[in-house]
Amino acid sequence: MQPTTHHASTMMMNQVDLRSLVSKHGTPLYVMNETYIRHQIRLFKASFIHSKIQTTIFYASKAFLTLAMAQLIHEEGLHIDVVSLGELMTVIKAGFPSEKILFHGNNKTSLELDVALKHHVGYIVIDNPFEYENLINKVTQTQKVMVRINPGVEAHTHEYISTTKHDSKFGMSIYGQDTVELIQAITSHPHLEFCGIHCHIGSQIFDPTSFQKEARLLLEMIHQLKVSHNINVTHLNLGGGFGVRYTHEDDPFDIQVHFKHILDYIQDTCDELGLDYPHVSIEPGRSLVAQAGVTIYSIGATKTTYSNKKFVFVDGSMADHMRTALYQAKYEAKILERPLAAIEQTYAIAGKACETGDILIHECPLPQPHVGEHLVVFTTGAYHYSMASNYNRLLKPAVIFVSEHDARVVVKAQTIDDLLAQDVLV
Ligand code: LLP
């Protein structure tokens, strides 16, 4: 399914003309194709299954979370992962069943642990021994926990979004004696139910063999825990990280083929090692929502520098589009009113923030843009709204969900009053 379709004088998201959304809500504007998200979720659910192995999908809510999104995830029957009090309270407010919530984080605060326990979240993933100590000082009834493991697998992705090199801040080393000691302490605690190990090797991964390496190492660890320490690991959570297509240069692997391979591989490896099949989970974020989203901007000035670099300025910035500045991420865009027009030349798309690095797209082939037209940037459904800031006191855009025929506001645009609401005038 294509998230948008392009015509001579406009772009459609399902049956909704994106120009009508601009007229009604202004720009910048985040627009998410709700039908596409549901379609992706159903594809994942239908493919991440196996005749011998039980499976669960947790949506990694950090990619994109609002009350409406939490409701959608629940309606579609997924579990959810959260990493902060804000994410936790959003999903609870949306009515998400607490037993389907998994709580992550490398430095959970005392308050976060209190609230997670009070709401009886399904799983707490312990990152380190300090967190274990905090937890046992609070827990008074059975709480399922997992331990986050760092297997040191090198996944080929941007340095900032790879999490499992040996010096990563996340989790406990697969090779550490302290890791075994932590798991032993958990298994002998009366209120903690040790149910398994968790790992996330990185994000925007294009090489599926990285996940096989991850699974192999973790199954070997499970085997070791069983034979050397008589500890039974029933759950294996392999994290998220499945790459998506931002530009024509990206070549993501087929998720259906990958899921079949990895689950078969886990079956074979368990047979080889003499292990019972664990319950296997994944935590996709980006791959469920990235391609569902676009951001629409108004085109303002264009500028040709003395060195002949051509800029198009838009009314957003790195504050609503952080990934280019942070990860050198690449995007594609088209003019809303002329998506099929012939390309004239390549422009840099720059925002209005006071920072030279405030570039949304470094090289964007476009027809000659005109003031008053709009630019649609594709694949902005993940880590855009969720990473938006108020740098330069720029306001966060509204988020619109588009279903088959209708559009609805799921996050109102921030106003100047909202922006000033927390400030205290002395
Ligand atoms: N599980 C855990 C424990 C994670 O840390 C993450 C992402 C995920 C699942 C979901 O990964 P995904 O399927 O979305 O790749 N802001 C960065 C991405 C940071 C990802 C952090 N963790 C970006 O915009 O590329």
Side-chain angles (χ1 to χ4, degrees):
M1 162 180 191
Q2 291 302 318
T4 53
T5 48
H6 305 170
H7 305 274
S9 61
T10 195
M11 272 181 226
M12 305 291 287
M13 192 173 267
N14 307 332
Q15 303 303 315
V16 175
D17 188 331
L18 289 181
R19 290 176 309 181
S20 70
L21 298 182
V22 169
S23 316
K24 191 159 177 199
H25 304 285
T27 58
L29 190 64
Y30 293 122
V31 187
M32 302 282 284
N33 190 331
E34 184 180 345
T35 316
Y36 181 93
I37 299 174
R38 291 185 191 273
H39 174 269
Q40 273 303 92
I41 292 174
R42 289 172 197 178
L43 178 76
F44 273 53
K45 277 179 73 180
S47 328
F48 192 62
I49 49 172
H50 191 273
S51 58
K52 303 255 173 53
I53 297 175
Q54 280 185 284
T55 55
T56 300
I57 302 176
F58 291 84
Y59 169 59
S61 69
K62 57 185 79 68
F64 174 80
L65 184 63
T66 70
L67 290 174
M69 184 64 189
Q71 279 168 337
L72 183 157
I73 291 294
H74 178 39
E75 279 165 21
E76 294 295 331
L78 295 192
H79 289 48
I80 202 157
D81 108 46
V82 298
V83 298
S84 69
L85 187 62
E87 289 183 355
L88 177 60
M89 292 316 293
T90 304
V91 305
I92 285 173
K93 179 107 195 266
F96 213 91
S98 51
E99 70 276 9
K100 290 180 147 185
I101 301 174
L102 176 149
F103 196 16
H104 269 306
N106 64 300
N107 191 24
K108 300 176 193 71
T109 64
S110 178
L111 176 64
E112 285 172 333
L113 289 175
D114 286 340
V115 176
L117 291 171
K118 181 176 133 214
H119 287 281
H120 307 293
V121 299
Y123 308 87
I124 295 179
V125 179
I126 297 182
D127 183 88
N128 55 66
F130 175 74
E131 197 163 275
Y132 165 78
E133 294 295 333
N134 284 345
L135 194 56
I136 59 171
N137 287 331
K138 294 172 183 296
V139 66
T140 52
Q141 47 183 304
T142 304
Q143 173 64 53
K144 286 189 192 159
V145 297
M146 304 183 78
V147 172
R148 181 155 178 172
I149 299 298
N150 177 354
V153 168
E154 179 98 43
H156 296 284
T157 182
H158 190 280
E159 188 187 347
Y160 293 176
I161 49 180
S162 105
T163 49
T164 53
K165 286 192 220 156
H166 288 298
D167 53 2
S168 157
K169 73 169 182 169
F170 294 106
M172 304 284 293
S173 170
I174 195 165
Y175 304 111
Q177 182 53 32
D178 50 349
T179 309
V180 177
E181 286 163 11
L182 174 64
I183 293 174
Q184 281 173 322
I186 293 170
T187 53
S188 53
H189 192 280
H191 294 315
L192 297 183
E193 182 183 330
F194 175 68
C195 58
I197 56 181
H198 172 279
C199 180
H200 172 77
I201 55 171
S203 216
Q204 187 61 352
I205 294 170
F206 286 123
D207 177 3
T209 62
S210 305
F211 295 103
Q212 280 188 20
K213 284 186 210 145
E214 175 193 22
R216 173 91 211 173
L217 286 166
L218 292 170
L219 289 169
E220 283 172 0
M221 177 182 184
I222 290 174
H223 176 250
Q224 203 55 41
L225 286 169
K226 183 179 164 195
V227 297
S228 304
H229 305 283
N230 200 24
I231 293 172
N232 196 18
V233 179
T234 53
H235 282 62
L236 173 60
N237 184 327
L238 296 173
F242 315 117
V244 305
R245 189 189 305 275
Y246 284 91
T247 74
H248 63 280
E249 290 170 11
D250 296 327
D251 188 17
F253 52 81
D254 182 322
I255 213 79
Q256 288 170 284
V257 174
H258 169 65
F259 287 159
K260 180 167 174 14
H261 280 168
I262 192 81
L263 290 170
D264 284 346
Y265 179 79
I266 290 171
Q267 178 186 13
D268 292 347
T269 310
C270 287
D271 290 346
E272 177 197 326
L273 297 173
L275 291 175
D276 292 338
Y277 305 132
H279 186 133
V280 179
S281 305
I282 48 168
E283 284 169 353
R286 185 192 323 263
S287 48
L288 294 179
V289 291
Q291 283 169 279
V294 299
T295 314
I296 310 179
Y297 300 99
S298 294
I299 293 172
T302 49
K303 181 184 276 184
T304 304
T305 65
Y306 184 63
S307 60
N308 208 29
K309 186 175 170 90
K310 311 252 182 225
F311 279 106
V312 176
F313 296 156
V314 294
D315 59 349
S317 73
M318 62 194 289
D320 60 68
H321 179 121
M322 186 66 191
R323 299 192 68 261
T324 304
L326 198 54
Y327 313 119
Q328 297 91 42
K330 291 185 179 169
Y331 289 84
E332 290 174 348
K334 288 186 189 295
I335 293 180
L336 172 58
E337 291 80 2
R338 292 179 291 139
L340 305 178
I343 300 301
E344 182 234 355
Q345 59 182 304
T346 297
Y347 296 89
I349 311 297
K352 51 198 268 81
C354 285
E355 181 147 337
T356 307
D358 177 30
I359 304 284
L360 280 61
I361 307 178
H362 285 277
E363 292 184 357
C364 184
L366 286 177
Q368 167 90 50
H370 304 307
V371 177
E373 289 185 317
H374 298 93
L375 191 76
V376 178
V377 179
F378 300 103
T379 321
T380 62
Y383 304 109
H384 276 246
Y385 169 71
S386 65
M387 292 176 74
S389 80
N390 286 124
Y391 180 50
N392 283 169
R393 297 230 135 190
L394 291 162
L395 300 175
K396 293 188 192 174
V399 184
I400 311 290
F401 265 20
V402 175
S403 57
E404 208 41 56
H405 298 277
D406 298 312
R408 63 185 168 123
V409 177
V410 296
V411 181
K412 291 186 271 184
Q414 210 178 19
T415 64
I416 294 293
D417 284 346
D418 296 333
L419 187 71
L420 294 176
Q422 266 86 41
D423 280 25
V424 178
L425 200 58
V426 265

